Amino acid sequence: MPAHPLLPRPSEMSADTRPGLVLTPSTRINADHAAHGTEAWLRAELGAATGLPLLHGKDQNAQLRLSVDTAAGLGPEGYRLAIHEGEALIVGHDSAGVFYGAQTLRQLLPAAAYRRAPLGSAAWVLPSVRITDRPRFGWRGCMLDVARHFMPKHDILRFIDLLAMHKLNVLHLHLTDDQGWRVEIKRYPRLTEAGAWRRESQVGAAQPPVFDGRPHGGFYTQDDLREIVAYAAARHITVVPEIDVPGHSQAAIAAYPELGEGDPVEVGREWGIIETVLNVSDTTLEFYRNVFDEVLEVFPSRYICVGGDECPKKQWRTSETAQRRIREEGLADEDELQSWFIRQFDGYLTERGRRLLGWDEILQGGLAPGATVVSWRGTEGGIAAARAGHDVVMCPTATSYLDYRQSAADEEPIPVGTVLSLADVYAADPVPPELAKKGAERILGAQVNVWTEHMDTPRTVDFMVFPRLAAFAEVVWSSRQRDYGDFLPRLADHLARLDAAGVEYRPLDGPRPWQLRPGIPGRS
Ligand code: ACM
């Protein structure tokens, strides 16, 4: 029986040696109303790669037929793909399911199906198969930090295509941090005029720090972000925005010093945890409500991330405003003050029909009632939140941080954190054993995090993200027993797809010479 190297591995697949479907100039596509988006996507993507028109055909004239059937028992985002005797049928439980069926169909073609123009030689043969498939988790995410290094819009759109190719459905965009503010806020133009660029950037993690002496910056207009959101939505990806408060806010404070606790600051140039934090005055809260008002207009996502991570309490300990707030609100300490601050946004978001998402530090001092927790400092925060009845997204550093080094070899460029190999990503499970009996239903899924302090170009992002993202895709999509020995040969075929798509992944045997950063120290 032929085995097709699909990645992530589908739930059920049976292949046979009957004729499948050969795509030719006369191949037609038909889709019911809910599947129209995927028809257009197939025509655009496969049309470009194959040079075939893949025109719309009336139902019986179309060889490739797409439809939605909620009664087919396929489950959310699930699909059935049947290719036999000159026909390919995709039935999705919903329009997302149809899209994933089409992604699978593309993988059944030669890798050249991932190019943007035809080479002129391929035969576009789809094999005879029947596949029934659905994802294990509803949150299959990737967080991209566009604050530390700006990623041009064009590259974000490309990144979205790559997430969709791996059947991921959440792009968590980390839009603000100490070193840059990347989202246009019309009411506060200095956030981008001043906050979107810095004089220079730290290079590597040497102490004392070394700087490159080169300005860096960039931001997205609200129209850019609307375009990104719509492009992602057409690929069944939700863009979850993050505006990080009350720590990681130095770029905002550089733009509007009245938000801070101390002397004026510049946009951060150095990596790490910075002591500059927001003050807790009514005017700062009002400022951020106004910011979120604009953010909610651009991002329809149900989940809105307010960050909440790594907020040093030093400035609050000696701040008149902070200490007064602690007294007036009857709070025990600065941890409870941080919790109080986050709770203000929980109420704000809940009133507007959204849900607050925050890093697991939001557990300190008490979790806001509507909060969903992103568990990154290990799994403990996620376990505690799930046991307290909150939803959780898992991304513990040890298995989910794609800025961490890919091997123990000295040559890995700017090695930070612990070793996180492809095999390590593949072996991880989003549901910690502690929740296996009770609480697992609170785990919405998992995400990998791409922090870009040391990724200064999209090429470097490619190197750090791929192929580990392919392993992660199988972790969050496939319900079947994972088997690294089965994954690796499929990955070999998948790397050919990434090559065709122009992805500069890290080769399995180590970086290419131009992917090295000799002499630039990292940190463990
Ligand atoms: C984080 O890595 N600071 C969430």
Side-chain angles (χ1 to χ4, degrees), residues 80-103:
R80 190 173 56 236
L81 166 62
I83 306 173
H84 303 296
E85 316 272 3
E87 281 187 343
L89 306 181
I90 298 174
V91 178
H93 173 83
D94 42 31
S95 49
V98 177
F99 181 70
Y100 295 125
Q103 287 282 2

Side-chain angles (χ1 to χ4, degrees), residues 248 309-310 359 361 376 397 401 449 451:
H248 286 289
D309 58 323
E310 297 178 324
W359 301 106
E361 285 94 331
W376 73 278
T397 50
Y401 270 44
N449 295 336
W451 297 105

Side-chain angles (χ1 to χ4, degrees), residues 2-6 10-15 108 129-132 480:
H4 300 296
L6 299 175
S11 315
E12 289 169 34
M13 171 164 64
S14 60
L108 290 166
V129 284
R130 183 182 170 87
I131 293 168
T132 309
R480 290 170 64 174

Side-chain angles (χ1 to χ4, degrees), residues 146 151-160 173 220 228:
V146 293
M151 184 184 271
K153 184 193 75 180
H154 162 84
D155 295 289
I156 300 235
L157 299 176
R158 168 184 179 273
F159 197 72
I160 286 169
L173 268 190
Y220 312 103
I228 288 169

